[in-house]
Amino acid sequence: VGGHPHDPLFDIAKKRITYVFPRVNYTLMPLFYNAADAFVWLTEARHQHGGIGISVLEALFCGLPAFSNTLLNIPYFTNEPRILRLTNELYVRSMEEFTQKLKNTDLHELRKYIISIRGVLTKLFSERSMALYLSKVLLNLYSKGIQNPKR
């Protein structure tokens, strides 16, 4: 578990989890992702539609099962069945749900599956793919604004 030492979740994690780290240098993150058994990233509900989260994608690219409530946003980016299956397995709404799912999940098999579709993840969520997706969204919004100006 990582995070800022003044974050209340950091205090909770220190009481429940064996290994807790303060903020880690970005260049070391792949080492931490590869040494971990699982990754959890929960955001507040009001931020839930802000995207998937770079940390979640980085963990997945390293083959780490990344449980998150931001995975709900993946269908906005793709209908790829292998990615949607992964989304269903990793989506959690709370720490309690994460704990329950962790008890019922074979992390070794899940890690193997993530590694097997890493090429699909990389293709869908590369900087280039995300920039193209965003440009389509913005062009669509722009064209709707031109056709239906609200003044």
Side-chain angles (χ1 to χ4, degrees):
V1 174
H4 194 277
H6 301 295
D7 185 333
L9 287 175
F10 193 77
D11 290 331
I12 293 168
K14 282 193 295 189
K15 293 175 187 170
R16 296 184 182 176
I17 300 172
T18 308
Y19 299 103
V20 180
F21 305 95
R23 199 169 286 281
V24 175
N25 184 308
Y26 182 75
T27 59
L28 298 175
M29 287 309 297
L31 298 173
F32 281 82
Y33 287 139
N34 283 293
D37 295 318
F39 177 84
V40 63
W41 177 275
L42 298 173
T43 64
E44 295 180 31
R46 68 176 191 263
H47 300 298
Q48 206 165 356
H49 300 288
I52 299 160
I54 295 298
S55 298
V56 173
L57 292 174
E58 288 172 344
L60 289 171
F61 290 159
C62 288
L64 180 63
F67 296 86
S68 179
N69 59 346
T70 64
L71 294 170
L72 187 64
N73 296 318
I74 282 184
Y76 293 117
F77 299 100
T78 182
N79 288 320
E80 161 48 66
R82 293 170 290 184
I83 302 298
L84 294 178
R85 172 187 162 198
L86 186 65
T87 300
N88 290 335
E89 291 190 38
L90 297 175
Y91 176 74
V92 292
R93 288 179 292 267
S94 65
M95 199 60 144
E96 291 78 20
E97 190 176 344
F98 165 68
T99 304
Q100 187 61 40
K101 203 169 248 195
L102 205 53
K103 291 177 186 174
N104 300 317
T105 301
D106 181 340
L107 291 177
H108 178 71
E109 286 300 314
L110 188 53
R111 186 182 280 265
K112 283 180 11 184
Y113 180 71
I114 293 167
I115 290 169
S116 76
I117 64 167
R118 192 177 353 211
V120 178
L121 283 166
T122 304
K123 182 179 176 188
L124 288 171
F125 298 106
S126 68
E127 284 183 31
R128 184 176 191 280
S129 295
M130 297 305 283
L132 287 172
Y133 173 79
L134 183 58
S135 66
K136 287 178 188 175
V137 169
L138 292 173
L139 284 171
N140 186 32
L141 290 171
Y142 179 75
S143 68
K144 286 180 180 180
I146 297 286
Q147 293 171 2
N148 302 313
K150 294 183 179 180
R151 296 180 192 228

